[in-house]
Amino acid sequence: MKNVILSTLLALTTLGVSVSAHEYKVGSLTIDHPYARSTPPSSPVGGGFMTITNNGTEADRLIAGTSTFADTVEIHEMIMVDGVMKMNQIEDGLEIPAGKTVELKPGSYHIMFIGLQEQLKPDERRKGLVKFEKAGDIEIEFLVKDIAKMMDHSAMTDMKHGEETMDHSAADENKHDHKEMDHSEMGEMKHDDMKHEHGAAKDAN
Ligand SMILES: [Cu+2]
């Protein structure tokens, strides 16, 4: 997978297209390509993603975050309960084991922006901060990715959900973010978080 991403980026670089890869280091951690999904107007919530690698010999934990555009930042996981995907705040933080890479991605661990103050629009860069138990704080920028593009790419590769994913129109967009979810009661998933996994590599254009 990494090779695919690299070659895609190289190809784009060669063509002179700007690429969205960006990377941060704090302590023994590397944070690769933080991004957020674009949101519909007046969406109350948004999702953020990144890849965190622990190059050290001790486990660390992603314990909190803040942003300049949302009231609250939480760290969430997706879990299957009675055959239904739900999301859940990880109260103790997300462990980043020594020598391992943890991917925050749609359908899995993610950063949840709650109380969005502004719409997140494609290609914006939005400031935030993440806190680790040992490595401490680091300011990062989330590149905002067009949610529609993310879906189109994943539709090609995710067979389980492909049909629903491909059938999205403008009127349907709201279903693709967390708008309809009830966080306090861990409402049933109604959006398409599960289907974006393959968007990251190909969305660099
Ligand atoms: Cu969430």
Side-chain angles (χ1 to χ4, degrees), residues 24-196:
Y24 301 87
K25 289 188 193 299
V26 58
S28 56
L29 304 177
T30 305
I31 299 170
D32 193 32
H33 190 39
Y35 68 98
R37 285 186 301 179
S38 59
T39 62
S42 73
S43 173
V45 292
F49 312 95
M50 65 190 73
T51 302
I52 305 168
T53 299
N54 186 345
N55 305 299
T57 52
E58 276 184 292
D60 205 338
R61 303 185 90 81
L62 171 60
I63 49 173
T66 59
S67 79
T68 57
F69 51 88
D71 297 336
T72 311
V73 170
E74 291 183 355
I75 299 148
H76 283 193
E77 64 184 338
M78 306 291 296
I79 50 170
M80 192 67 94
V81 179
D82 297 331
V84 177
M85 284 302 281
K86 299 187 175 188
M87 62 181 198
N88 196 12
Q89 183 177 6
I90 309 176
E91 303 278 357
D92 303 336
L94 172 59
E95 186 177 3
I96 317 293
K100 301 278 191 219
T101 296
V102 176
E103 213 179 335
L104 283 73
K105 61 185 180 182
S108 179
Y109 303 118
H110 57 277
I111 301 255
M112 196 87 217
F113 304 113
I114 298 170
L116 270 190
Q117 294 151 4
E118 299 161 50
Q119 182 180 8
L120 301 181
K121 296 179 182 166
D123 302 326
E124 289 178 334
R125 284 177 176 261
R126 294 292 196 145
K127 288 187 194 309
L129 179 147
V130 283
K131 285 177 191 287
F132 295 92
E133 198 172 72
K134 295 191 179 115
D137 298 359
I138 180 151
E139 283 185 35
I140 58 176
E141 274 187 336
F142 293 91
L143 182 82
V144 182
K145 284 209 211 182
D146 190 332
I147 196 165
K149 284 187 190 170
M150 292 170 71
M151 314 268 278
D152 287 343
H153 290 310
S154 59
M156 295 184 292
T157 41
D158 190 336
M159 289 302 129
K160 279 178 287 186
H161 304 281
E163 208 170 306
E164 282 170 67
T165 307
M166 280 182 261
D167 183 29
H168 75 284
S169 61
D172 216 23
E173 286 286 284
N174 283 356
K175 291 180 186 166
H176 299 319
D177 75 354
H178 295 267
K179 197 171 189 172
E180 298 179 23
M181 301 181 68
D182 185 336
H183 276 81
S184 56
E185 296 182 2
M186 282 176 49
E188 179 177 343
M189 288 291 301
K190 289 191 176 143
H191 64 101
D192 293 324
D193 245 344
M194 292 298 292
K195 299 153 201 165
H196 305 156

